[in-house]
Amino acid sequence: MNLVALDTSTEYCSVALHCGFSVLSAGCVAGQRHSELLLPMLDGLLREADMTLAQLDGVAYGAGPGSFTGLRIACSIAQGLAFAIDVPVVGVSTLMALAQGQAGERVVACLDARMGEIYHAAFRRENDAWRSVCEPGVCRPEQAPPLTGAGWTGCGSGFAAYPEQLQARYAGQLERIDAAAVPHAAHIAALAGAMLARGEGIGAELAAPIYLRDKVALKMHER
């Protein structure tokens, strides 16, 4: 199966090309330049693999949660590509993509949601797939959903933004922490391949970001 995956949910911008049994990827810290960098990176991967867009079987994107603007960029570009070559689209949870990038069997993924909150989810690996232990949600770090047992890997920018609160919340349960981890298109591609194989692809017109909340910033009286 050939597919391309895109992620612009954080300041890091990445693209991956899954072709047969190989995965090519590219990424960089983009700041606000995601829309400028994404398509040239994709073009470079297609050239490296000696492929064209017409050879793709699907398009995947980091659906969220994450930066509101970033999510819209990845979703809209995925839609445009899928429309152009008439293939299905797969939206992949950025929190599950974080988990996919870890070696542990139990992963709690947290992204900095700003405004004193985190995007949070917890997963357990079962038979090479991820089962949700805590569904994706938004909360204050000191109110993060409880976990059962020890041996958890914590990952994502939430652990960089609120290390004390999250380590206190999960005292004795975290085996390791990867606060520098970001959702990456290579991990989205790995998850999307299985989703497409199960027939979970959708029409491009149905693709949408996963925001989890509808506020971008605090109002003056809330600060």
Side-chain angles (χ1 to χ4, degrees):
M1 180 179 294
N2 299 328
L3 66 91
V4 64
L6 320 168
D7 187 74
T8 55
S9 61
T10 67
E11 291 185 353
Y12 195 84
C13 176
S14 59
V15 181
L17 179 63
H18 187 289
C19 42
F21 296 100
S22 301
V23 177
L24 303 175
S25 66
C28 66
V29 177
Q32 305 298 317
R33 300 173 61 215
H34 298 82
S35 57
E36 175 186 339
L37 297 171
L38 201 60
L39 289 177
M41 285 199 294
L42 171 58
D43 184 62
L45 293 183
L46 289 169
R47 290 175 182 273
E48 184 178 347
D50 194 23
M51 288 179 58
T52 66
L53 286 174
Q55 293 174 269
L56 296 177
D57 300 303
V59 179
Y61 67 101
S67 158
F68 283 29
T69 300
L71 298 181
R72 288 193 291 268
I73 290 171
C75 182
S76 62
I77 291 179
Q79 285 179 308
L81 293 173
F83 271 128
I85 56 178
D86 192 24
V87 296
V89 174
V90 177
V92 176
S93 163
T94 51
L95 294 171
M96 188 175 289
L98 275 173
Q100 181 70 17
Q102 302 299 316
E105 301 297 310
R106 296 176 167 189
V107 178
V108 53
C110 297
L111 286 171
D112 181 10
R114 312 297 183 183
M115 299 193 295
E117 294 180 324
I118 56 169
Y119 297 121
H120 173 285
F123 305 93
R124 186 190 305 271
R125 196 191 304 266
E126 294 181 355
N127 299 321
D128 294 325
W130 293 102
R131 181 177 68 84
S132 292
V133 176
C134 296
E135 293 293 331
V138 60
C139 62
R140 297 189 65 80
E142 63 271 18
Q143 297 172 340
L147 300 174
T148 301
W152 289 87
T153 295
C155 63
S157 59
F159 283 93
Y162 307 102
E164 295 180 2
Q165 295 94 321
L166 287 170
Q167 289 184 53
R169 182 64 170 165
Y170 297 128
Q173 295 182 286
L174 296 173
E175 185 173 77
R176 61 181 294 270
I177 295 174
D178 182 0
V182 294
H184 197 288
H187 302 136
I188 289 171
L191 294 166
M195 294 171 71
L196 281 171
R198 294 193 298 265
E200 296 177 16
I202 60 174
E205 71 279 4
L206 300 176
I210 301 172
Y211 292 125
L212 291 187
R213 75 177 181 202
D214 56 9
K215 293 179 66 174
V216 180
L218 293 172
K219 296 179 180 179
M220 287 297 294
H221 73 274
E222 295 174 311
R223 295 178 184 175

